[in-house]
Amino acid sequence: MTLSLYDYVSIGLQAVFTAHPAFHVLGVPISMAVVMLVAGLLTGLIVGAIPALSGPFAMAVALPILISTFGFSAAALLPTLAFLLGVMKAATLGGSVPAILFNTPGTPDAYLTTFDGYPMARNGQAGKALRVAQFACVSGDTMSDMVLITTAPFLAVFVERYMGFPEKGALIILSMAFIGAAVGASAIKGLISAVFGLFLASIGRGDDQTPRLTFGIPDLANGFSVTVAVVGVLILGEVYQAIEDLAHQHRSKTSPSPVVDRGDQKLHWHERLALMPIIGRSGLIGITVGALPGIGSTLAATLGYAIQKRRHKGAVPMGQGAPEGIAATEAASAAVSGANLIPVLSLGIPGNVAAVFILIAIDTIGGLNPGPSVFTLNQHELNPELVMVIGVFVIMMLGNAINWTLGSMLMRRLGVLQHIPPRIMMPLVLVITVAAIYLQEGKMTSIYFALGFGVIGYLMRKMQMSGLPFVIAYILADDLERLLRQGFSASGADPWFLFSSPLAVAFLLASVVVAFTMSRNPIGKTIIKNADPE
Amino acid sequence: MRLVIALAAALTLLTTPAMAQWKPSGPIKMMISFSPGGTADTLARLIGEEMEARAGWKVIPETVAGKGGNVLAAKLKNEPADGTSIGLITDQIGYAVLAEKDPGFAPGDFAYLTTVAGTQTGLVAKASKGWKTLADVVKDAKGGKKLVVGALSPMYADALYLLGKHLKVNFNIVNFKGGNSVQNAILAGDIDMGFLAGVQRRGVESGTLVNIVSGERSRLKMTPDAPTLSESGFPVDLGARFLFAAPKALKPEAKQALTKLIVDIVQDPKSKAHGFITKSLGDPVVIQGADLDKLIADSFAQAKMLLSKEGAN
Amino acid sequence: MSARSWNLALGLVCVAFALLAVFVWIPHDVSSGVIVQERGQTNVGDAMAPTAWCYALGALGLLLVLTSWRSRPAAKSAVASGPRITAANVRFLALLIFMLVVSLVLMRYAGPVLVALLHALGANVTDYRSLRDAIPWKYLGFVIGGTTLVAGLLALIEGRIRTRQILLALIAVIVIALIVDLPFKHLPLPPNNEL
């Protein structure tokens, strides 16, 4: 038996479309993965369109429920990832809806979409604005996915060929230095956040039979679970903050006047063609930003919009309802998501919040170890990991196709979600999160810990420290420590083993340079200022 | 022959009413000391499902992982001893108990029901190394090459250290957590070899990995040619047997009913649990009663030897 | 306090935490050392990583102290957007934690206490443990605790307590309980897994 790439692709297609049918329509099996993808897309559109919620929220709550539903078998991975990827893809799309219709961004990235989107809607062009947003969003997303599919395999194979214990360890240090320094208001605080994450992650884990730093609490013998720490700091911290804001906010909000459509709402092919160069440019910006860990879609959107503003030659000035403004923003922020999975799939290093949940899903379910083994084209025996990754790629492209075709139809209907009051939403999110954590962990202590991590996340927000470096460091800490300990043992206790290869030294030098320049030079300052608060 | 069948039938008739009399007072909690999704966890859940289907008792699996089973054991000790709490551990618990200063329980705190299956532990290296026997390994190691070996838990590290002493070669022992990470390191070439408890099956069958020796008491199902460690003059048993335990004060009728149900399930070729065992773990291993008590005692004796870092020869 | 002093305080907290961990917590709660001799070789012990991270935390904290010490006080307008924890924040957090604690205590103990009470009153119930998979008992804790939490937070947000909030919370939590419970036969609602 020899297996070619063609065979792998066809097996991957089968895994997505025909394996594990959920039900049959006219005798045609509809697979669980496809069902979950559609469910994820709908969920993403909805949470994106609700101003108080965002994609990561839905991913965080859904993850434990998905894992409880599908279990840990190899067959569980595709449906679970399909849902999460669907949410990730559609949330950006959904976020533009209230931005255009009501001048309230549904997600942070959509803030810049209000600049031109709402004026367009007030001029009676709401339908057209939504179509521009959809066109730009899906194009940027598709571009980004293609870059992911073509780059990740080569990067992963490079890693296998040239990297051992010290190089892999040094690479994790480099990415954490980058994330710590690049995210949030201050490089030092970002690094503190990362190091604090590393320290808390060392609780319970370790090699000794007696687990370390647990105060003798048995439920800590394996440390705080990753879900508990991540959901606590990122999601519950945000929920607490939102509840406080709601409590302080006096309900003096005036609802914006309803928009009325006037004239032609179609986006014609010549108009689409005219937008293509803008989308292409913004897409490239988004991809570049997305492939670097830590600096997320808000920066991409800002850069995309700013460059378009400088070059704008359209009939309508930017800021007064120019479709180009919407396209530049949406394409850039959408293009981040696919590229963000490049480091996830090739190195196991997540770059933004959405990628964090994708990686947790992969780690928890098992069967797919991000890294070189995923992309090995075994010719004699099927490499199930490669099939799985091809399945993931297929799902991503299928998600784009669904967004292309059905997106605009659904987007207009999402306007009603504006009326769900966040004051009811937030307490319910809290209770659902509590239930979801218990489903996965089965322990009251896990709920207590998660709520405690929420307090940490809340306080970090108050101190203007980003939770993202904390979370990413928390996820990578175990790997990092293990690689360094193993490298030390394998080298026969050479204290300088980390500096034994030029590549490792280069990574370590780069970490110092990154941390230093990010906080000093003006470009670094801009990046820091515009980087995601999350 | 007919007499035997008749006797067996009579015995069944005699035991069945006693069986039927015992019924758990509520749902049964099945604690599992392994992380979700792994082989042992899947095995326990399949047995639980089948228990529900056959006896109509509700069985709720619960993961209680940590400290090589010590967290579960410490918790199980204080559970109600009415048959509504059982736990899946391994007979390697002896090592975990002796390695920890104060585990909070003693081996006598439990009623051991039955083992259900065992591991398929082998010393594994990449086939491309060209090693077929321990002698090949020794030859390379004596040639001045420092061998880097991986241990999936501290117990295996101790065993590798003693094995090195026994073979008169020096290993660089690298600690890992779990078999998958050891296997990945072997495949990536980061380490030369290591003990794996069954995950190597796919690699061995496809020819990328080889079992050099069996770490079990018997030879491996997937590589019957490889001798055991004992046959190689190093009488150490690195295999693990998965077993169910309950709090010590468990009533005999509850113990009997639970044990019989579990044994029936794993020995029934039609059950999912049996299918899973033969696919991933070799064959069902059913050890009960005094034999099981001896197994636990052996585990403690060997753990003492491993932890003393002397012995073995 | 200005943004500068809040950063200063944060830096000092980091340094204090690092010192406490390195000199008290780690030595008392890690069973091996930073470097260990085992099985004839030198290995990194379990204390190495936490100690190293604490050194890094202490150093970064010190750096934060030094940089905010040297920075000029920000303009008045910048204070509002800078890092700070106000008295109002502390009050909110205290109230939130209080509500969380009350609801979780109810979630954990409402079922067992109620059953014990009924038992004492002579009702035909044994103990909560054997009823934890039976309707309606299994929903008791989650619904009572969850409703308390949602209604409490609604009252906190709206600044007053109304019957409508409690009713709304009760219905919403029952719906959540059913959605979470019905598809998962083997995954009990809190707190039924560990009793």
Side-chain angles (χ1 to χ4, degrees):
Chain A
M1 180 170 66
T2 48
L3 292 155
S4 64
L5 182 60
Y6 175 78
D7 296 317
Y8 271 99
V9 172
S10 69
I11 298 170
L13 284 168
Q14 278 170 26
V16 172
F17 289 104
T18 53
H20 310 287
F23 53 83
H24 294 255
V25 173
L26 303 172
V28 181
I30 306 293
S31 78
M32 199 34 120
V34 173
V35 173
M36 290 318 289
L37 174 65
V38 173
L41 287 169
L42 287 175
T43 311
L45 272 174
I46 292 170
V47 294
I50 298 176
L53 302 180
S54 63
F57 255 85
M59 293 168 88
V61 174
L63 187 58
I65 300 176
L66 289 168
I67 288 172
S68 309
T69 312
F70 295 111
F72 301 89
S73 65
L77 198 65
L78 277 184
T80 304
L81 287 182
F83 187 90
L84 296 178
L85 289 168
V87 172
M88 185 172 98
K89 284 181 172 302
T92 325
L93 205 56
S96 64
V97 175
I100 290 170
L101 296 181
F102 305 103
N103 207 18
T104 30
T107 54
D109 311 345
Y111 174 61
L112 291 147
T113 307
T114 60
F115 287 12
D116 286 288
Y118 188 58
M120 267 185 90
R122 271 206 320 213
N123 297 339
Q125 298 271 285
K128 188 161 195 163
L130 287 175
R131 288 202 172 88
V132 171
Q134 181 218 5
F135 177 59
C137 210
V138 182
S139 311
D141 204 349
T142 312
M143 274 173 71
S144 190
D145 290 351
M146 304 226 261
V147 172
L148 162 73
I149 293 169
T150 43
T151 337
F154 296 104
L155 195 59
V157 171
F158 172 85
V159 170
E160 157 143 286
R161 197 155 302 162
Y162 299 105
M163 288 166 60
F165 291 126
E167 292 86 354
K168 286 175 196 162
L171 181 66
I172 293 184
I173 294 177
L174 171 60
S175 15
M176 274 189 310
F178 192 88
I179 295 162
V183 178
S186 132
I188 298 176
K189 284 199 243 176
L191 292 170
I192 287 178
S193 171
V195 172
F196 188 50
L198 288 173
F199 178 79
L200 286 192
S202 71
I203 289 175
R205 301 170 188 159
D207 284 347
D208 297 345
Q209 177 66 28
T210 310
R212 65 188 169 194
L213 305 175
T214 61
F215 295 108
I217 301 168
D219 282 344
L220 271 182
N222 280 341
F224 302 106
S225 89
V226 172
T227 315
V228 160
V230 172
V231 170
V233 167
L234 285 183
I235 306 299
L236 293 179
E238 181 74 35
V239 171
Y240 297 170
Q241 174 76 66
I243 291 174
E244 183 183 29
D245 290 348
L246 288 165
H248 285 192
Q249 177 184 306
H250 298 290
R251 276 160 297 285
S252 57
K253 221 167 70 182
T254 49
S255 52
S257 52
V259 294
V260 185
D261 286 355
R262 281 189 302 270
D264 185 12
Q265 301 292 334
K266 283 218 175 85
L267 189 61
H268 296 285
W269 276 108
H270 67 270
E271 290 170 306
R272 286 180 197 254
L273 269 179
L275 289 175
M276 279 314 273
I278 297 166
I279 291 172
R281 187 177 60 220
S282 273
L284 284 180
I285 293 170
I287 290 165
T288 318
V289 168
L292 296 171
I295 43 177
S297 45
T298 310
L299 174 68
T302 314
L303 284 177
Y305 189 83
I307 291 173
Q308 173 58 24
K309 195 168 182 181
R310 201 176 307 155
R311 303 198 163 189
H312 186 60
K313 291 197 273 293
V316 184
M318 292 276 283
Q320 294 177 20
E324 293 88 348
I326 301 178
T329 312
E330 289 291 320
S333 61
V336 168
S337 66
N340 232 313
L341 294 185
I342 298 174
V344 171
L345 289 180
S346 52
L347 309 167
I349 297 175
N352 69 3
V353 185
V356 162
F357 289 111
I358 302 270
L359 187 68
I360 296 178
I362 292 174
D363 281 352
T364 316
I365 295 171
L368 184 69
N369 294 300
S373 65
V374 170
F375 296 101
T376 322
L377 194 77
N378 281 352
Q379 297 196 324
H380 301 294
E381 211 221 355
L382 191 69
N383 175 1
E385 292 182 288
L386 183 56
V387 172
M388 209 91 84
V389 158
I390 290 174
V392 170
F393 290 160
V394 170
I395 283 168
M396 294 180 82
M397 287 322 233
L398 183 67
N400 292 336
I402 296 175
N403 274 347
W404 267 109
T405 45
L406 303 177
S408 67
M409 192 185 82
L410 293 168
M411 280 168 81
R412 194 60 204 259
R413 288 170 178 72
L414 293 173
V416 293
L417 295 172
Q418 179 67 14
H419 303 300
I420 297 179
R423 70 194 150 85
I424 296 172
M425 208 68 202
M426 282 301 141
L428 289 184
V429 166
L430 193 55
V431 173
I432 296 173
T433 310
V434 163
I437 286 175
Y438 195 80
L439 269 193
Q440 184 178 336
E441 303 276 321
K443 283 191 289 230
M444 287 304 280
T445 43
S446 294
I447 297 178
Y448 309 149
F449 292 151
L451 295 170
F453 273 103
V455 173
I456 293 179
Y458 170 84
L459 291 176
M460 282 170 80
R461 272 179 181 73
K462 288 288 164 209
M463 293 312 293
Q464 298 197 332
M465 278 167 87
S466 169
L468 189 62
F470 175 93
V471 161
I472 291 181
Y474 197 91
I475 291 175
L476 297 177
D478 204 32
D479 274 352
L480 175 61
E481 181 183 358
R482 218 145 270 293
L483 284 167
L484 297 184
R485 288 174 88 150
Q486 289 161 353
F488 182 78
S489 303
S491 71
D494 171 9
W496 301 107
F497 79 99
L498 198 51
F499 305 93
S500 59
S501 91
L503 195 59
V505 172
F507 284 150
L508 291 174
L509 275 178
S511 337
V512 177
V513 172
V514 159
F516 199 68
T517 50
M518 284 285 192
S519 58
R520 289 284 157 144
N521 77 27
I523 302 174
K525 283 243 162 85
T526 337
I527 294 182
I528 287 169
K529 225 168 69 195
N530 289 310
D532 284 6
E534 286 283 305
Chain B
M1 188 66 206
R2 218 172 268 168
L3 183 72
V4 176
I5 294 172
L7 266 176
L11 269 174
T12 325
L13 278 176
L14 275 177
T15 50
T16 312
M19 278 266 313
Q21 267 165 22
W22 187 79
K23 221 174 78 188
S25 59
I28 296 178
K29 180 199 292 196
M30 180 191 277
M31 298 197 267
I32 304 166
S33 66
F34 301 89
S35 51
T39 313
D41 176 70
T42 311
L43 171 66
R45 281 168 202 271
L46 286 175
I47 293 176
E49 265 177 37
E50 198 86 13
M51 284 169 77
E52 280 197 353
R54 292 190 180 201
W57 306 335
K58 175 97 172 186
V59 180
I60 302 175
E62 180 187 343
T63 302
V64 187
K67 301 200 275 185
N70 282 7
V71 172
L72 186 149
K75 215 170 164 181
L76 183 65
K77 178 187 148 191
N78 297 320
E79 287 283 316
D82 56 0
T84 58
S85 286
I86 55 174
L88 182 78
I89 54 174
T90 74
D91 61 345
Q92 285 181 352
I93 187 96
Y95 187 92
V97 172
L98 293 178
E100 191 175 345
K101 262 183 238 139
D102 180 22
F105 63 91
D109 288 336
F110 307 101
Y112 298 98
L113 305 183
T114 175
T115 66
V116 286
T119 50
Q120 290 278 301
T121 306
L123 183 60
V124 177
K126 251 199 208 173
S128 55
K129 292 248 180 233
W131 295 337
K132 296 230 159 47
T133 62
L134 270 182
D136 297 339
V137 177
V138 172
K139 205 165 75 195
D140 265 20
K142 292 240 163 96
K145 204 171 156 285
K146 189 105 180 165
L147 291 186
V148 183
V149 295
L152 62 91
S153 78
M155 192 192 95
Y156 293 87
D158 287 342
L160 280 165
Y161 171 66
L162 291 178
L163 181 63
K165 270 175 86 178
H166 168 75
L167 298 172
K168 300 193 175 58
V169 293
N170 264 329
F171 291 145
N172 259 356
I173 301 164
V174 180
N175 290 309
F176 289 83
K177 218 166 206 172
N180 280 319
S181 45
V182 175
Q183 173 159 282
N184 286 343
I186 293 175
L187 288 170
D190 291 339
I191 57 172
D192 295 305
M193 60 180 190
F195 280 106
L196 293 174
V199 287
Q200 75 272 32
R201 189 179 49 88
R202 216 174 69 200
V204 169
E205 278 166 7
S206 75
T208 36
L209 296 174
V210 286
N211 282 310
I212 299 167
V213 286
S214 160
E216 302 281 335
R217 294 176 166 196
S218 54
R219 293 192 172 199
L220 300 174
K221 202 178 169 191
M222 61 185 128
T223 317
D225 299 340
T228 64
L229 281 173
S230 300
E231 288 170 328
S232 316
F234 183 70
V236 167
D237 173 18
L238 293 176
R241 263 75 37 186
F242 300 103
L243 63 100
F244 283 99
K248 189 182 176 56
L250 184 68
K251 293 224 170 61
E253 62 267 27
K255 182 176 176 180
Q256 194 201 352
L258 285 166
T259 308
K260 179 164 188 322
L261 185 58
I262 294 169
V263 171
D264 281 354
I265 288 167
V266 295
Q267 287 185 332
D268 178 2
K270 285 199 287 293
S271 79
K272 261 196 206 170
H274 182 95
F276 180 77
I277 291 171
T278 43
K279 197 189 111 204
S280 322
L281 291 160
D283 290 311
V285 177
V286 173
I287 304 170
Q288 313 171 36
D291 292 343
L292 183 51
D293 293 340
K294 183 174 180 301
L295 196 67
I296 304 284
D298 287 352
S299 154
F300 275 83
Q302 178 176 300
K304 216 169 265 171
M305 185 274 290
L306 286 175
L307 283 163
S308 73
K309 312 285 193 304
E310 320 270 321
N313 45 4
Chain C
M1 263 168 53
S2 66
R4 199 175 75 145
S5 18
W6 276 111
N7 281 337
L8 205 70
L10 177 64
L12 289 174
V13 168
C14 290
V15 174
F17 180 87
L19 288 174
L20 205 67
V22 168
F23 290 107
V24 184
W25 193 7
I26 296 174
H28 282 89
D29 207 0
V30 182
S31 60
S32 65
V34 172
I35 293 286
V36 290
Q37 288 291 330
E38 53 183 1
R39 305 174 194 108
Q41 68 189 65
T42 311
N43 279 339
V44 172
D46 264 9
M48 172 69 98
T51 309
W53 307 145
C54 281
Y55 279 145
L57 190 64
L60 286 165
L62 213 57
L63 205 60
L64 189 61
V65 168
L66 291 178
T67 49
S68 40
W69 193 274
R70 281 182 41 199
S71 71
R72 268 178 237 158
K76 269 265 157 65
S77 60
V79 174
S81 63
R84 60 185 185 144
I85 298 169
T86 62
N89 295 149
V90 175
R91 270 200 305 277
F92 164 75
L93 199 60
L95 202 55
L96 177 79
I97 292 174
F98 172 73
M99 278 181 192
L100 290 173
V101 169
V102 170
S103 349
L104 288 172
V105 166
L106 284 173
M107 196 178 281
R108 170 68 181 76
Y109 294 103
V113 169
L114 211 69
V115 171
L117 213 64
L118 288 173
H119 185 70
L121 291 173
N124 186 23
V125 284
T126 43
D127 61 336
Y128 185 79
R129 196 182 131 89
S130 44
L131 291 171
R132 71 191 198 278
D133 191 47
I135 297 169
W137 309 104
K138 62 175 177 174
Y139 296 118
L140 272 183
F142 183 73
V143 170
I144 294 178
T147 307
T148 311
L149 185 58
V150 174
L153 291 175
L154 271 174
L156 175 72
I157 289 170
E158 297 181 349
R160 57 195 164 147
I161 300 169
R162 291 190 296 177
T163 340
R164 238 192 59 168
Q165 293 163 342
I166 300 171
L167 222 65
L168 185 79
L170 182 66
I171 294 168
V173 172
I174 289 176
V175 170
I176 294 171
L178 291 175
I179 290 176
V180 174
D181 186 57
L182 291 179
F184 304 113
K185 221 173 87 194
H186 290 111
L187 297 168
L189 283 167
N192 301 338
N193 204 34
E194 334 153 65
L195 292 166

